Amino acid sequence: MTESKPNTPLLAPSTNKLPDYKTSVKLKYVKLGYHYLITHGMYLFISPFVVIVAAQISTFSLQDLHDIWDNLQYNLISVIICSGLLVFISTIYVLTRPRPVYLVDFSCYKPEESRRCTMKVFMDQSRMVGAFTEENLEFQKKILQRSGLGDNTYLPEAVLNIPPNPSMREARKEAETVMFGAIDELFTKTKIKPKDIGMLVVNCSLFNPTPSLSAMIINHYKLRGNIISYNLGGMGCSAGLISIDLAKKLLQLEPSSYALVVSMENITQNWYFGNDRAKLVSNCLFRMGGAAILLSNKFSECIRSKYQLVHTVRTHKGADDKCYACVTQEEDAVGKVGVSLSKELMAVAGEALKANITTLGPLVLPMSEQLLFFATLLGRKLFKMKLKPYIPDFKLAFEHFCIHAGGRAVLDELEKNLHLSEWHMEPSRMTLYRFGNTSSSSLWYELAYTEAKGRVRRGDRVWQIAFGSGFKCNSAVWKANRTIKAAKEMNPWVPEIDKFPVVVPKVTSI
């Protein structure tokens, strides 16, 4: 594929771009990244000593070994000390070694055809509601035309009704439909019984009923009474990777367990019926969807599992007031609740991304890239040399990229600043086109697309990266345990995968 030029950003170019990563990188984030590296680098430091000892032993003759044995058999204290030291080191190794976490399988919910919402249907529904001014109807039309969404996205029944009925009952109905649909398919694919699940983590930012969403799942599937369950709310589109990180930490504590992670967003009660333009953008981008993921630390699952979790890196910029306030759920001037997106959102996302990838880089980049990066950094910082900062090539660290399909402008800027190709961006762009922004679950639709295309080979590395309110940027790195055969996959892309990729025009006519 040939490289494409970045498309026109969704909002004003002056305020809606990620910062150019050829600007300075804060040294504290570099140090933080190397802190992670050193924390997990025990084997790197021990290796030279092992090599030295092995080389010394290789010089021993049979007579030398016989002499050592003669000395030891008359020196019981030395034998006991050596044996005790060996047992001690082995015990420390076993106790401190993190348990591997496997992704057994995952599933993405595909709504019924009756929930399909074309761009024309969206505009007709918005007009018939009677809540929007003509100027704001035209504003929504322009946003939709440039959004990168297609005509096959989905909205819940309560929003498509005329008049809409965004009640608590309808919101629960949407949540149950999405969660149970994804989980049912996951149980079918993995042959796991509900009683086998020891941990449950559910994330949904804007819909947090009582009983909780996690309680709804426990009740529906009659999960066991001692299950460890968490319900995460208000954490934005990056909450899916927060859930993965939480499940990983739980699996490090409980041997031989399964963890079920459910990521979704609820549209029904969070559709905005006002005329504040900062809140209308969400209506144009967010759509119905959800995903269920099964993780395990069982050694027996290593063979059939699709991936092993290698790293999770979380970055939180909430201490900065500008970052904290860039995505806010609030009332407008007439009391209607919506989610405001600040004009500073792209700049804030860029700063969070810079911090995240500077931490992640030392963990995943080859040494050649790290040496080039730090040589340039030291030259600029210590010797005040006029050098352009070296931008590491993350394509050397990952074969596949799953970037949160938050909007066309976000994907355009990330493609440009990370120097990615159209092929690398294809899963994210096609997910945005086919399903829209499904919040925290969009990463899994993207991975499902990659699998349906038959691109995942054993040993391939996948980088999932997402942004969320607060402001957060989170990453997860996976390594494929086996080659994924597209013909045997059950995911929402398989029946129509031959139609993709499609050319998405910069401006779509409605």
Side-chain angles (χ1 to χ4, degrees), residues 6 39 62 68 81 89 93 178 198 240 245 247 258 262 298 358 386 413 451 462 475 486 490 495:
T39 301
L62 290 177
I68 291 173
I81 291 175
I89 293 174
Y93 171 76
V178 173
D245 182 63
Y258 288 105
V262 181
K298 291 189 174 185
T358 307
K386 294 182 178 180
E413 290 298 321
E451 292 184 352
V462 182
S475 292
M490 183 196 313

Side-chain angles (χ1 to χ4, degrees), residues 37 40-48 367:
L37 178 65
H40 300 88
M42 181 182 66
Y43 303 113
L44 181 63
F45 292 106
I46 290 179
S47 296
M367 189 58 66

Side-chain angles (χ1 to χ4, degrees), residues 338-386:
V339 177
S340 293
L341 303 181
S342 166
K343 292 181 179 181
E344 302 294 330
L345 178 59
M346 292 294 290
V348 167
E351 290 299 319
L353 175 63
K354 183 193 296 184
N356 190 271
I357 65 177
T358 307
T359 303
L360 180 67
L363 301 177
V364 297
L365 288 170
M367 189 58 66
S368 59
E369 287 294 295
Q370 295 188 45
L371 290 175
L372 287 172
F373 174 79
F374 280 99
T376 306
L377 183 67
L378 289 174
R380 294 177 67 249
K381 294 290 184 180
L382 296 181
F383 302 105
K384 307 300 180 182
M385 299 171 65
K386 294 182 178 180

Side-chain angles (χ1 to χ4, degrees), residues 200-500:
L200 172 65
V201 183
V202 183
N203 68 268
C204 182
S205 291
L206 298 178
F207 181 58
N208 294 286
T210 300
S212 67
L213 297 173
S214 59
M216 291 165 61
I217 294 174
I218 291 171
N219 175 262
H220 180 80
Y221 291 99
K222 308 304 178 188
L223 302 183
R224 63 200 203 196
N226 64 342
I227 190 170
I228 301 171
S229 68
Y230 289 87
N231 196 95
L232 308 182
M235 303 193 78
C237 299
S238 67
L241 297 186
I242 295 175
S243 297
I244 294 295
D245 182 63
L246 175 58
K248 178 189 77 171
K249 288 178 169 58
L250 294 173
L251 287 170
Q252 296 298 335
L253 301 175
E254 296 287 335
S256 225
S257 299
Y258 288 105
L260 174 62
V261 175
V262 181
S263 295
M264 59 167 291
E265 193 50 81
N266 191 281
I267 306 296
T268 297
Q269 280 202 323
N270 298 288
W271 201 254
Y272 178 61
F273 294 100
N275 284 283
D276 184 342
R277 291 192 175 185
K279 298 177 176 62
L280 284 172
V281 176
S282 297
N283 285 8
C284 301
L285 297 178
F286 282 88
R287 294 296 184 266
M288 186 180 183
I293 306 97
L294 182 65
L295 303 176
S296 179
N297 56 11
K298 291 189 174 185
F299 181 76
S300 59
E301 291 290 0
C302 176
I303 297 177
R304 75 158 178 163
S305 293
K306 287 184 172 180
Y307 306 93
Q308 181 174 339
L309 183 58
V310 182
H311 300 293
T312 53
V313 175
R314 294 168 55 179
T315 303
H316 204 305
K317 304 287 288 184
D320 186 306
D321 291 342
K322 182 179 67 174
C323 298
Y324 172 76
C326 70
V327 180
T328 308
Q329 185 181 27
E330 60 187 4
E331 296 174 331
D332 63 14
V334 295
K336 296 184 182 295
V337 177
V339 177
S340 293
L341 303 181
S342 166
K343 292 181 179 181
E344 302 294 330
L345 178 59
M346 292 294 290
V348 167
E351 290 299 319
L353 175 63
K354 183 193 296 184
N356 190 271
I357 65 177
T358 307
T359 303
L360 180 67
L363 301 177
V364 297
L365 288 170
M367 189 58 66
S368 59
E369 287 294 295
Q370 295 188 45
L371 290 175
L372 287 172
F373 174 79
F374 280 99
T376 306
L377 183 67
L378 289 174
R380 294 177 67 249
K381 294 290 184 180
L382 296 181
F383 302 105
K384 307 300 180 182
M385 299 171 65
K386 294 182 178 180
L387 300 173
K388 291 183 178 180
Y390 181 75
I391 308 301
D393 186 0
F394 281 92
K395 297 188 293 294
L396 297 175
F398 305 107
E399 284 73 33
H400 309 287
F401 295 79
C402 296
I403 300 170
H404 170 53
R408 185 179 208 155
V410 175
L411 297 181
D412 288 347
E413 290 298 321
L414 285 173
E415 177 181 352
K416 180 177 67 176
N417 283 282
L418 294 178
H419 306 299
L420 301 179
S421 67
E422 289 184 6
W423 188 87
H424 291 111
M425 297 299 297
E426 186 182 313
S428 299
R429 293 194 185 279
M430 293 303 101
T431 295
L432 181 65
Y433 177 83
R434 178 63 180 85
F435 293 98
N437 181 349
T438 61
S439 189
S440 58
S441 66
S442 68
L443 299 175
W444 301 103
Y445 286 91
E446 294 165 16
L447 186 54
Y449 178 91
T450 306
E451 292 184 352
K453 278 291 184 181
R455 297 177 177 177
V456 181
R457 299 287 183 267
R458 182 178 180 181
D460 282 2
R461 296 153 298 178
V462 182
W463 182 17
Q464 291 182 318
I465 186 164
F467 306 94
S469 58
F471 192 85
K472 298 178 285 294
C473 178
N474 300 318
S475 292
V477 178
W478 305 88
K479 184 176 181 180
N481 283 350
R482 57 184 173 86
T483 298
I484 309 298
K485 297 181 179 179
K488 296 183 178 181
E489 282 303 298
M490 183 196 313
N491 75 47
W493 292 98
V494 170
E496 53 189 282
I497 193 62
D498 292 337
K499 301 176 183 178
F500 294 94

Side-chain angles (χ1 to χ4, degrees), residues 65-101:
L65 295 175
H66 185 269
D67 293 341
I68 291 173
W69 172 252
D70 286 340
N71 290 330
L72 287 177
Q73 65 180 333
Y74 298 111
N75 194 341
L76 183 60
I77 296 177
S78 298
V79 173
I80 293 175
I81 291 175
C82 292
S83 301
L85 184 61
L86 182 62
V87 171
F88 176 75
I89 293 174
S90 302
T91 303
I92 293 296
Y93 171 76
V94 171
L95 292 178
T96 59
R97 184 185 59 176
R99 294 187 178 92
V101 174

